[in-house]
Amino acid sequence: HVEFSLSSGLTDYRDTYQVVVIAGMGAHTMIDILTKDLHHAKHAKRMILQPNKHVDTLRKFLSDASFKIEHEILLEEKGKFYEILQVSFSPSKVVYTELDIVFGPILRKERNPSFQKKYKSILEKKVKQMLAISDQREKEKLIHEIQRIKEVL
């Protein structure tokens, strides 16, 4: 039995729902929805989250709110990458490293072809940016980001 509910946030949530899907919006909007209805989010057996941007911000929120990332996938469609997270509430504190937050605790370990392609492309862009700027502070920031990407590739 499948039941769909299109609602503002999780206001229509029922305990009988097995999966909550929140997709097609930015991480900040997702965080607003989850924060507003955190009690519903914590009772959901499973949530599928697909932020269009700022996935690292979403991962940090999930960690702080004790949600465990059970599975992640990275898909590419028409040159755009989409990260999809399967999460559930954990009664114990969930702690992720900086690399887990930025690259995904599962994605960075699996390093599938889409992951490799995405971060090799980002690496190339960041190297070009770094070579083109003269501001030392910005250059150091880019060098740090480049080193992080190289560490996971």
Side-chain angles (χ1 to χ4, degrees):
H1 174 73
V2 176
E3 183 178 331
F4 294 95
S5 172
L6 178 62
S7 66
S8 175
L10 298 176
T11 55
D12 290 348
Y13 176 82
R14 293 187 193 105
D15 288 335
T16 57
Y17 293 166
Q18 298 291 313
V19 179
V20 171
V21 177
I22 305 174
M25 60 190 73
H28 296 288
T29 303
M30 287 185 172
I31 291 168
D32 289 344
I33 290 168
L34 294 170
T35 301
K36 179 180 167 239
D37 295 315
L38 193 57
H39 58 287
H40 290 315
K42 287 181 176 182
H43 286 96
K45 182 177 179 182
R46 180 178 311 133
M47 290 193 297
I48 307 297
L49 308 175
Q50 185 275 302
N52 286 344
K53 55 185 177 178
H54 305 295
V55 69
D56 56 334
T57 304
L58 179 62
R59 284 191 192 102
K60 176 75 172 113
F61 167 81
L62 293 169
S63 175
D64 292 345
S66 291
F67 285 91
K68 181 179 182 195
I69 299 171
E70 297 173 337
H71 190 64
E72 298 177 293
I73 58 173
L74 176 63
L75 304 172
E76 180 187 11
E77 183 178 282
K78 298 179 183 175
K80 183 155 173 61
F81 292 95
Y82 298 93
E83 294 186 42
I84 303 168
L85 290 71
Q86 175 184 312
V87 306
S88 64
F89 179 70
S90 173
S92 56
K93 182 70 177 155
V94 178
V95 178
Y96 293 113
T97 67
E98 178 189 356
L99 292 176
D100 290 336
I101 297 292
V102 174
F103 300 102
I106 297 166
L107 291 176
R108 76 182 189 92
K109 289 179 181 120
E110 291 179 350
R111 295 185 217 165
N112 70 22
S114 292
F115 181 89
Q116 296 283 331
K117 185 175 180 181
K118 175 183 179 177
Y119 287 104
K120 283 179 182 177
S121 172
I122 291 172
L123 179 63
E124 289 174 16
K125 290 175 188 172
K126 293 206 179 281
V127 168
K128 286 179 185 175
Q129 287 175 341
M130 192 255 315
L131 295 173
I133 62 171
S134 58
D135 181 278
Q136 191 59 33
R137 187 174 291 162
E138 286 297 314
K139 194 173 274 220
E140 287 174 13
K141 181 181 172 192
L142 283 169
I143 289 170
H144 175 70
E145 291 174 13
I146 289 167
Q147 288 171 335
R148 273 196 325 205
I149 294 169
K150 286 181 176 180
E151 189 175 329
V152 297
L153 286 176

